[in-house]
Amino acid sequence: MDRISFNEGWCFRAAGGTWTRITLPHDAQLLDPRRADSPGGAGHGYFVGNIYEYEKRFVAPADWEDKHIEVLFEGIYRNAVVSLNGVKIAEHRYGYTEFTVCLDDHLLYGQENVLTVVADNSKLPNSRWYSGGGIYRPVSLLTGARAHINYLGVRISTLQVNPAIIHVTTDASEGEISVEIIKDNVIVATASGAECDIAIENAQLWSDETPELYKAHVVLAKGGVIQDETCESFGIRQIECSVQGLFVNGRNTLLRGGCVHHDNGILGAASLRESEFRKVRILKEQGFNAIRSAHNPASTALLEACDHYGMYVMDETFDMWYVRKTRYDYGCDFNDCWKEDVRAMVARDYNHPSVLMYSIGNEVSEPGKPDGVGQGKAIIGLIKSLDSSRIVTGGMNLMIMTNYAKGKGLYDHADQEEKAAAKAGGQEAKNGSLLFNTIASFIGSGMNKAGNSDKADRITSPILDALDVAGYNYASGRYPLEATHHPDRVVVGSETFPYEIGKNWDMVRKYPYLIGDFMWTAWDYLGEAGLGAWSYTGGVPFNRPYPWLLGGAGVIDILGNPDASCGLARVVWGATDRPVIGVRPVNHPGVRVSKSIWRGTNAITSWSWKGCDGNKALIDVFARADHVELLINGRSIGKKKIKCYQTLFKIKYQAGTIEAIAYDASGAEISREKLTSASDAKVVIRPETDICRPGNIMYIDINIEDEQGIVECNSDRKLSVTVEGGELLAFGSANPCTEEAYLSGSFTTYYGRALAVVRAQDADRLLIHVMDGSNQVQKSIKIIK
């Protein structure tokens, strides 16, 4: 079937308001207000919810009467109802799986048609983080003959890699099927039949190091006349996993992973293709080779980006099963919908070589009891029946399951408390996520040993042994034990503290059955406000009050800037042979910082703190070395031993240059790194790419920096952005606590950085204007047509 974008020409309104024209995808919840009394609270970033209405008017050509027409919605949050010409034709409850709607029986041919979508995101809380709302992922129109290849009807799997043989299955109406395999625009193999095995000579294999992609061009014909055709991208790769390790195409592979939420920072939940590709590119540049989609199926564009760059994916089904974690979440719909949503995820993922694992859920408590184990096995069985070629795992928290078995579940309160709330006049139920994170804040890294007891082992083993790979959330204390207690168990660190990457990665390298580590989180996100943030304004380390907005746990901020903790991971993984210097903010003299267990430091890689000379400075140095020496403006401050890849210096800040020199045990220099203070910093506009075409999404850094490109961290100011020849989609900074809005066009830089996202229009130039008080800076970018 032909697939064309159906994203333009929509009208939108919230809760019966005024209609406005928009281009999809967009995040409707960003248009909602934020309030301290939002029922979604800190989890939703204090945004309120709403009901979102969409309308698209289009003419169905007369020749469509002999065709098959569908609309593909890749993601609507949530409880979507789709109507055509006033007739309800579909509904879909889960906000994270795609679905198609057949229009054939309700189209008015040769006339105008009205397609409407209503998404109900009004009842909060329905998630433990910021979900976004409305049609936040792309929409496509699928058109084909009555005899056609079904959407996702071509499935490609690798039978073997040496020599390479693939299996191609086509689900289509009656007719003859022919297949061409194409590499770099050259046909390298052909076959025919609805099921066929195809040998490919001198095949180039797909992996994180060699992301080689092929295309399968599949044609459906009847009587020699082509009825339909489609083209599917795929990679040739084979997975083997045992207690000896994870092997991709026969090569032992360790997963350098990070958990990633679905939002795109200042764009909210809007899933733009360029945004997803940019995210994966930055993660790959920082040394990651794996993503866990926390805690829901990833967008199609993210998977395509992972295919392109070579990034393994653990695609996750759900954050909850039938035990709700928040009052109005998917737990209300789980029993009715889970099979449909698992099928949707697996069907969509099947041809993506990047998808290495499916996760059956995140920190679900249910497997602590027999019914929950049965539910988990049912999900595993369904996945295996749909795709037996991939690993099935889950993000299992051993402490949560053990407590649930004892009758002390964190999340098994919603039904009872909803009944109690009705009697008490509607008081909201407690937030189980808040309770868990509060407990975690007190226990700290000791949570890693909470699942070490024999009792915890007995309770959790039934579900862990049902998985191909046992995913451990915050249970690294179990890693050394499993060779003895469970010699046949393969383990992955599905969720870990970023600052423990050193000791965790040493265990990954030591124990063959431990195949990787996924830190929480690789990229910061909206909601769960203050979860991982270090604060200079006091308050508890989680569930921080309004106007806190961001989780603060990411080693890469919402703009895409890595911090020093990301540098620690690069050092540990061997992605850099130079030391990393991290400077904890020095512009809060005398203020005690409120810490979070999800961060070991709040340091960033900057030595530019205007007006802070003489202030106390804490310097984290990360290195693969025996010891390091620290120099300030050429003067040695001293040497310190490196323990687990890191050490800490306490000094006074002096503008100029800071330098770290790494030495081996014999005292020989290994490498060095330095940071320099900015001079005469001003507002600078830096587009991330110089190529701009109509419709392109442009990411534009707007920083306070000097002529050498050094960003000044202590000279923040409020800026206003306008554009000509384009549409400003969002503008903001990574400030985790703010009342400013990403859609307003005005925002204050944070540690000297801000970001604008712009869609270029059909003009000669894209002109960016930035107002800094009474001063204006502008940048002109030629639009290539």
Side-chain angles (χ1 to χ4, degrees):
M1 297 179 71
D2 291 332
R3 178 173 176 173
I4 61 174
S5 172
F6 213 46
N7 291 318
E8 296 184 353
W10 288 81
C11 290
F12 163 80
R13 67 181 179 179
T18 303
W19 289 102
T20 58
R21 290 186 65 83
I22 61 165
T23 298
L24 299 176
H26 85 143
D27 179 2
Q29 195 170 20
L30 274 189
L31 297 167
D32 293 333
R34 295 178 65 220
R35 298 199 309 258
D37 63 348
S38 163
H44 283 258
Y46 297 100
F47 279 91
V48 302
N50 216 325
I51 295 174
Y52 312 117
E53 302 175 60
Y54 297 83
E55 180 181 281
K56 182 176 175 68
R57 296 176 179 270
F58 64 100
V59 173
D63 63 1
W64 278 14
E65 194 164 4
D66 297 323
K67 293 186 176 183
H68 174 65
I69 311 296
E70 297 180 20
V71 176
L72 167 65
F73 295 97
E74 294 186 27
I76 302 175
Y77 200 90
R78 58 193 296 261
N79 295 323
V81 175
V82 182
S83 301
L84 182 62
N85 300 321
V87 178
K88 176 182 172 181
I89 57 175
E91 64 177 35
H92 190 80
R93 300 185 211 172
Y94 195 30
Y96 297 109
T97 47
E98 67 179 29
F99 63 102
T100 59
V101 181
C102 178
L103 305 187
D104 293 347
D105 296 334
H106 303 283
L107 279 171
L108 302 175
Y109 300 103
Q111 302 178 50
E112 183 180 75
N113 291 261
V114 182
L115 182 67
T116 60
V117 178
V118 178
D120 188 347
N121 189 36
S122 61
K123 293 181 179 179
L124 303 182
N126 58 47
S127 172
R128 297 187 300 123
W129 54 84
Y130 176 82
S131 61
I135 308 179
Y136 72 100
R137 287 179 178 172
V139 181
S140 298
L141 187 70
L142 309 177
T143 65
R146 293 289 180 176
H148 61 274
I149 300 169
N150 292 324
Y151 172 66
L152 299 180
V154 176
R155 292 158 50 97
I156 306 157
S157 57
T158 302
L159 299 181
Q160 63 182 52
V161 295
N162 189 21
I165 301 177
I166 63 170
H167 183 72
V168 181
T169 302
T170 302
D171 180 15
S173 308
E174 60 176 320
E176 301 83 39
I177 300 293
S178 60
V179 182
E180 295 176 334
I181 304 302
I182 301 169
K183 176 65 175 166
D184 300 328
N185 297 318
V186 176
I187 298 172
V188 297
T190 61
S192 60
E195 290 206 31
C196 53
D197 294 344
I198 306 175
I200 301 176
E201 295 184 2
N202 303 314
Q204 299 179 54
L205 305 183
W206 189 97
S207 72
D208 63 321
E209 295 185 351
T210 59
E212 298 288 347
L213 293 174
Y214 287 76
K215 290 183 179 179
H217 179 222
V218 182
V219 176
L220 171 68
K222 290 179 67 175
V225 179
I226 293 177
Q227 302 294 308
D228 197 10
E229 57 187 318
T230 190
C231 203
E232 285 287 321
S233 177
F234 70 98
I236 302 171
R237 62 107 179 89
Q238 197 166 51
I239 305 166
E240 297 172 285
C241 191
S242 71
V243 291
Q244 299 305 313
L246 170 66
F247 294 85
V248 179
N249 303 327
R251 178 177 64 86
N252 186 238
T253 301
L254 303 179
L255 301 177
R256 306 185 302 273
C259 301
V260 177
H261 268 283
H262 74 289
D263 75 68
N264 278 305
I266 63 174
L267 289 167
S271 179
L272 303 177
R273 181 178 176 82
E274 292 91 338
S275 304
E276 307 288 28
F277 271 71
R278 175 181 181 266
K279 180 185 293 182
V280 175
R281 172 181 57 80
I282 291 172
L283 286 163
K284 194 71 187 287
E285 289 170 352
Q286 294 304 313
F288 291 89
N289 74 345
I291 288 173
R292 176 186 177 212
S293 65
H295 300 291
N296 44 258
S299 71
T300 299
L302 186 91
L303 297 187
E304 290 173 346
C306 291
D307 294 343
H308 175 81
Y309 286 110
M311 182 77 76
Y312 299 116
V313 177
M314 179 196 296
D315 209 6
E316 196 147 69
T317 50
F318 313 111
D319 184 47
M320 71 294 293
W321 293 350
Y322 50 80
V323 173
R324 286 175 283 169
K325 294 184 177 181
T326 60
R327 187 169 181 177
Y328 300 109
D329 66 26
Y330 180 75
C332 302
D333 307 308
F334 178 84
N335 288 330
D336 293 334
C337 300
W338 73 265
K339 291 180 182 179
E340 172 192 353
D341 289 318
V342 167
R343 289 190 183 100
M345 184 188 79
V346 174
R348 192 278 311 265
D349 289 8
Y350 195 91
N351 292 337
H352 289 281
S354 57
V355 179
L356 187 73
M357 303 181 183
Y358 298 118
S359 166
I360 65 171
N362 170 67
E363 294 189 342
V364 289
S365 55
E366 290 93 327
K369 296 181 181 179
D371 286 351
V373 175
Q375 177 64 67
K377 289 182 176 179
I379 299 174
I380 294 167
L382 178 56
I383 292 174
K384 289 291 188 182
S385 72
L386 299 169
D387 183 356
S388 61
S389 69
R390 288 182 169 91
I391 296 164
V392 179
T393 186
M396 298 298 172
N397 189 301
L398 311 189
M399 181 182 75
I400 287 177
M401 287 189 289
T402 302
N403 285 342
Y404 184 70
K406 297 176 182 177
K408 299 178 181 178
L410 295 174
Y411 301 123
D412 57 347
H413 53 74
D415 289 332
Q416 298 90 336
E417 291 203 4
E418 185 166 314
K419 294 175 183 177
K423 293 180 179 179
Q427 182 180 355
E428 290 293 330
K430 294 177 183 176
N431 186 325
S433 178
L434 170 59
L435 181 58
F436 166 70
N437 286 292
T438 302
I439 292 171
S441 297
F442 283 106
I443 296 175
S445 60
M447 183 166 51
N448 289 319
K449 298 181 180 180
N452 285 13
S453 70
D454 290 341
K455 185 171 185 178
D457 193 10
R458 288 194 301 272
I459 291 169
T460 58
S461 282
I463 190 63
L464 296 176
D465 288 340
L467 297 166
D468 297 325
V469 173
Y472 287 0
N473 281 20
Y474 309 109
S476 58
R478 286 286 292 267
Y479 297 167
L481 309 178
E482 301 306 53
T484 301
H485 292 281
H486 300 282
D488 297 325
R489 184 177 292 177
V490 185
V491 176
V492 66
S494 46
E495 193 166 316
T496 62
F497 296 114
Y499 59 88
E500 294 188 328
I501 184 63
K503 70 176 186 178
N504 287 342
W505 197 250
D506 285 349
M507 288 191 283
V508 170
R509 291 188 297 190
K510 181 177 181 180
Y511 304 119
Y513 55 82
L514 181 59
I515 63 173
D517 176 275
F518 289 80
M519 69 174 66
W520 184 267
T521 59
W523 198 287
D524 203 14
Y525 58 98
L526 280 67
E528 286 198 302
L531 167 78
W534 285 21
S535 171
Y536 294 94
T537 59
V540 295
F542 181 77
N543 203 45
R544 296 191 189 275
Y546 178 85
W548 278 84
L549 172 60
L550 307 182
V555 301
I556 300 173
D557 71 21
I558 64 164
L559 307 188
N561 301 305
D563 67 6
S565 294
C566 194
L568 169 61
R570 285 174 53 79
V571 166
V572 169
W573 293 330
T576 180
D577 59 0
R578 304 173 74 174
V580 170
I581 305 170
V583 182
R584 302 184 188 184
V586 301
N587 55 348
H588 302 281
V591 178
R592 183 176 180 179
V593 64
S594 172
K595 300 180 179 181
S596 162
I597 64 161
W598 274 272
R599 296 192 69 86
T601 180
N602 63 342
I604 60 176
T605 54
S606 175
W607 192 243
S608 190
W609 302 87
K610 183 179 179 181
C612 292
D613 282 56
N615 288 358
K616 178 182 176 181
L618 297 178
I619 312 300
D620 293 290
V621 180
F622 308 126
R624 277 180 169 268
D626 179 77
H627 59 280
V628 294
E629 181 179 15
L630 195 68
L631 285 75
I632 306 294
N633 296 327
R635 180 175 63 87
S636 178
I637 300 300
K639 297 180 180 180
K640 284 201 171 185
K641 194 79 171 176
I642 290 287
K643 296 181 180 179
C644 199
Y645 306 96
Q646 55 192 296
T647 192
L648 179 68
F649 289 86
K650 299 179 180 180
I651 62 174
K652 298 288 187 181
Y653 177 76
Q654 300 174 31
T657 299
I658 186 171
E659 187 169 19
I661 307 173
Y663 299 94
D664 65 18
S666 70
E669 180 179 328
I670 299 172
S671 60
R672 59 176 66 198
E673 184 63 277
K674 67 180 179 180
L675 301 172
T676 303
S677 304
S679 60
D680 299 325
K682 59 183 179 180
V683 175
V684 176
I685 303 170
R686 291 189 180 277
E688 292 187 359
T689 176
D690 294 329
I691 300 175
C692 181
R693 292 184 172 87
N696 278 180
I697 303 297
M698 299 287 291
Y699 273 78
I700 300 164
D701 295 317
I702 301 175
N703 299 334
I704 313 300
E705 61 181 59
D706 67 8
E707 292 182 354
Q708 285 70 47
I710 300 172
V711 174
E712 171 54 58
C713 290
N714 197 39
S715 186
D716 286 320
R717 59 200 73 173
K718 189 167 186 176
L719 306 175
S720 296
V721 175
T722 56
V723 299
E724 298 177 43
E727 177 188 3
L728 180 65
L729 300 181
F731 173 57
S733 75
N735 188 347
C737 181
T738 179
E739 292 189 275
E740 296 176 315
Y742 302 133
L743 304 184
S744 68
S746 295
F747 220 94
T748 303
T749 59
Y750 186 65
Y751 293 143
R753 298 181 186 274
L755 179 72
V757 184
V758 176
R759 179 185 285 117
Q761 296 173 337
D762 189 8
D764 293 330
R765 290 194 168 274
L766 177 63
L767 192 60
I768 314 297
H769 300 274
V770 179
M771 292 299 300
D772 174 17
S774 60
N775 299 318
Q776 179 175 264
V777 181
Q778 64 182 35
K779 179 78 174 182
S780 178
I781 306 168
K782 181 176 175 57
I783 298 177
I784 301 172
K785 300 180 183 179

